Amino acid sequence: MPSAAPAARGALRILAQLGASRGPVAAGQLAAATGLPRASVYRLLGVLEEEGFVLRFPEDHRWGIGIAAFELAGGYNRQEPLTRLGRPIVAALVDRVGENAHLAALHGRDVIYLIEERAARRPALVTDVGVRLPAHVTASGLAQLAALPKAQVRALYPDRAAFAQRGDVGVGSYGALRRVLDAATARGWAVEDGEVTPGTASVAVPVRDHAGWPVAALAVTFVRGEVRPEDRADLAAVVAEQAALFARRLAR
């Protein structure tokens, strides 16, 4: 009997793509973003529709998240696994580096800050719990975007209108974003340098689930003049250690 794992993975990839989109999506876009054959996408969408995980909008020829997926997300939020498991890890990171640290999760083209721990005598930040910021201007958002398939990032940023700006900072095109993400992938960590708050910078590393999917990002924020550019890699290495520990705890 053939394994059901490929079909299950395909269905999960479709749901992940729909969950990251800001509105209903055409089946062809889902096929391009997930890398699945169009016929497989239609077949999986049919099953997901029967179970209530997706909704079909026949007039628009598009698909969206169904009530079953919404209820599942509600259960996830009630249990708060990211914040429950992440809080001691973020606190330990602050103790090790003596800088502010936070955990943020990608939601469409934004990041939502789930945990913030402030170090002693460090300045307050705008990244308080519950704050949403455009992913492409934050280290946490860039770290997670860099870990996504390129087709999915392209689907999130189809044109210049997708690049919400904070003043004149941040990239403004997909080509510029792709260069930033490729650099983050090559380094193993993402960075923002004054785009969120003038005078501060951040380094971030994605927290991946057992399948390698980014479920959040762990980051440290510091005063730009107090950490030399050549020392940022050492700081990011500590963040990466804690992100790997977090990933192992999520996989249990």
Side-chain angles (χ1 to χ4, degrees):
M1 180 178 178
S3 172
R9 290 194 184 98
L12 291 172
R13 285 158 69 181
I14 289 172
L15 288 173
Q17 180 61 36
L18 288 173
S21 301
R22 295 204 171 186
V25 180
Q29 290 177 279
L30 290 171
T34 60
L36 296 169
R38 189 181 291 252
S40 297
V41 168
Y42 277 111
R43 184 173 65 254
L44 292 170
L45 284 171
V47 175
L48 290 169
E49 183 185 17
E50 289 176 4
E51 299 297 328
F53 284 91
V54 302
L55 285 174
R56 183 167 61 95
F57 299 89
E59 294 83 3
D60 299 325
H61 304 288
R62 291 176 180 269
W63 300 80
I65 288 290
I67 189 65
F70 179 79
E71 290 172 347
L72 192 63
Y76 183 88
N77 289 334
R78 287 191 295 273
Q79 294 181 21
E80 299 180 327
L82 288 177
T83 54
R84 288 175 185 272
L85 291 174
R87 195 171 301 282
I89 289 176
V90 177
L93 179 59
V94 170
D95 289 342
R96 285 188 63 180
V97 302
E99 302 285 356
N100 295 338
H102 59 254
L103 183 77
L106 192 65
H107 189 271
R109 290 193 291 264
D110 295 335
V111 288
I112 301 176
Y113 290 86
L114 305 177
I115 301 171
E116 184 189 29
E117 292 284 345
R118 297 180 184 177
R121 295 178 295 280
R122 295 287 86 188
L125 304 174
V126 300
T127 53
D128 204 354
V129 173
V131 168
R132 296 174 70 113
L133 290 176
H136 69 280
V137 302
T138 69
S140 296
L142 293 170
Q144 292 171 85
L145 290 172
L148 291 176
K150 290 183 179 180
Q152 182 162 348
V153 177
R154 187 58 168 144
L156 287 171
Y157 296 91
D159 51 41
R160 286 184 176 272
F163 292 87
Q165 295 295 319
R166 286 173 56 85
D168 295 324
V169 302
V171 298
S173 69
Y174 178 76
L177 176 63
R178 187 71 260 162
R179 289 190 290 274
V180 171
L181 298 183
D182 288 345
T185 299
R187 283 193 305 266
W189 47 275
V191 61
E192 65 86 12
D193 206 337
E195 286 87 358
V196 175
T197 302
T200 69
S202 301
V203 294
V205 175
V207 177
R208 300 174 185 266
D209 65 13
H210 67 282
W213 197 265
V215 294
L218 193 58
V220 165
T221 299
F222 49 89
V223 177
R224 292 174 65 190
E226 296 181 5
V227 177
R228 298 179 302 174
E230 58 268 29
D231 293 333
R232 292 181 180 182
D234 293 335
L235 188 58
V238 179
V239 179
E241 288 179 19
Q242 294 300 108
L245 173 60
F246 194 2
R248 290 195 296 272
R249 291 188 179 180
L250 284 174
R252 291 177 181 171

